Amino acid sequence: MAPSSPAGLCSYITLSANSRLKQIEKEYTQKLAKSSQIIAGLQTNISFLKEESSQQRLAAERQLQDVVQKFEDEKKQLIRDNDRAIKALQDELEKHSDQVRCLEKKLQHKELESQEQITYIRQEYETKLKGLMPASLRQELEDTISSLKSQVNFLQKRASILQEELMTYQCRR
């Protein structure tokens, strides 16, 4: 019940206000404690998440480095394998080139031997033929051959002149 005097009323209002202030202070203290607890929990979560993120980033970087290293190792191995394959092909090419040169030399040698044999056989044949043929007949054949050579030369010159005249005639037309 409210006091009837003004001093009592003032004292009652002060008491009532003090009581109300203490109740509000108590409520805000509880809210502050609850907020501090929530903030502490959130800060713990943030720290945990930062640590977890840091660990995941480090793990991802290590994994990336491992993958890069693996690819570098594979690249180096491929280069070594390629170099060995190229070397083997070059060696094989050189071996075949040597074989080709050797075979060409053998072929030249065989051709020379064949030419020598042909020359030898021709000389033997001519020697035998000379021995079988009378000298007058041989001279007559040599003269005929010489005459035929002269006629061939003359006909070649004549054909050349006629060809030039034909070209001159065609140019004028």
Side-chain angles (χ1 to χ4, degrees):
M1 173 146 130
S4 53
S5 76
L9 183 62
C10 219
S11 155
Y12 174 74
I13 292 176
T14 304
L15 190 61
S16 179
N18 278 342
S19 171
R20 178 74 182 129
L21 278 174
K22 283 186 182 185
Q23 184 182 356
I24 290 173
E25 186 180 348
K26 185 179 175 183
E27 287 174 9
Y28 277 102
T29 303
Q30 287 174 351
K31 285 182 182 181
L32 178 62
K34 191 174 185 182
S35 292
S36 293
Q37 197 176 21
I38 290 172
I39 288 171
L42 289 174
Q43 285 177 338
T44 303
N45 277 346
I46 288 171
S47 294
F48 174 75
L49 291 174
K50 281 182 179 179
E51 181 64 28
E52 186 178 347
S53 172
S54 176
Q55 289 175 358
Q56 286 178 348
R57 184 173 38 78
L58 288 173
E61 287 175 0
R62 276 190 298 252
Q63 188 177 9
L64 176 62
Q65 287 174 350
D66 290 346
V67 168
V68 167
Q69 186 62 45
K70 179 183 174 188
F71 283 129
E72 283 298 318
D73 292 345
E74 287 179 8
K75 177 183 169 184
K76 288 176 183 175
Q77 184 62 42
L78 287 173
I79 289 171
R80 283 192 298 271
D81 292 347
N82 189 38
D83 289 344
R84 278 194 295 269
I86 289 172
K87 177 73 172 122
L89 288 173
Q90 287 173 338
D91 291 346
E92 189 173 337
L93 176 64
E94 185 148 339
K95 176 183 159 190
H96 288 305
S97 295
D98 290 345
Q99 288 175 343
V100 166
R101 281 191 292 273
C102 182
L103 289 173
E104 286 175 344
K105 285 180 182 179
K106 283 182 180 179
L107 178 62
Q108 285 177 344
H109 183 69
K110 290 289 183 184
E111 286 176 347
L112 286 174
E113 283 181 1
S114 297
Q115 285 297 334
E116 287 175 4
Q117 286 178 345
I118 289 171
T119 303
Y120 177 75
I121 292 171
R122 180 177 290 143
Q123 287 174 348
E124 271 191 16
Y125 177 74
E126 287 176 357
T127 303
K128 285 182 183 178
L129 195 60
K130 283 181 183 177
L132 296 177
M133 190 182 308
S136 62
L137 178 59
R138 187 179 60 224
Q139 185 60 44
E140 188 178 319
L141 288 174
E142 287 176 3
D143 290 345
T144 303
I145 290 171
S146 180
S147 172
L148 288 173
K149 283 181 182 178
S150 296
Q151 289 177 15
V152 166
N153 286 337
F154 172 77
L155 290 173
Q156 284 176 339
K157 287 178 185 175
R158 180 73 178 139
S160 175
I161 291 170
L162 290 173
Q163 183 66 33
E164 286 178 18
E165 288 177 1
L166 177 62
M167 287 175 57
T168 304
Y169 175 74
Q170 287 176 344
C171 288
R172 290 181 186 167
R173 285 182 73 190

